[in-house]
Amino acid sequence: MPQIVVLPHATLCPEGAVIEAPAGMSVCDALLENDIEIEHACEKSCACTTCHVIVREGVESLNEPEEKEEDLLDRAWGLEATSRLSCQAILDKEDLVVEIPKYTINQVSENH
């Protein structure tokens, strides 16, 4: 089972974490199942950017992003070359290191 090293995030995972999840599971589901409450405002339907993560190591082991995901990522806060929507990033057999960005664009929680 691949490991996901989650780098520290001030509110969601202050100490960081190392979790395991089966290949075939999304990064978002793996985080949520391990009590890392990453936002997922569209209920994991690839319609927002609230579950955006930056894959610091292991990005090549994930499935290729589809065009819809790439289009949405263009609107994500703190976009980097290895950014993915965690609801669309499917684990394979390799370990990952992920960073949850400091901010997210969530118009519902921001009262817009």
Side-chain angles (χ1 to χ4, degrees), residues 15-71:
E15 303 297 318
V18 178
I19 61 176
E20 289 189 350
M25 178 179 271
S26 74
V27 172
C28 185
D29 285 337
L31 295 173
L32 293 170
E33 283 192 9
N34 286 276
D35 300 319
I36 300 171
E37 297 297 322
I38 189 165
E39 287 191 61
H40 53 288
C42 71
E43 295 301 319
K44 303 180 269 185
S45 66
C46 194
C48 72
T49 63
T50 59
C51 71
H52 168 227
V53 295
I54 301 163
V55 183
R56 296 293 180 201
E57 293 179 24
V59 71
E60 64 283 341
S61 72
L62 297 171
N63 60 314
E64 289 290 320
E66 293 185 10
E67 186 175 343
K68 183 177 181 180
E69 178 185 356
E70 289 177 336
D71 290 345

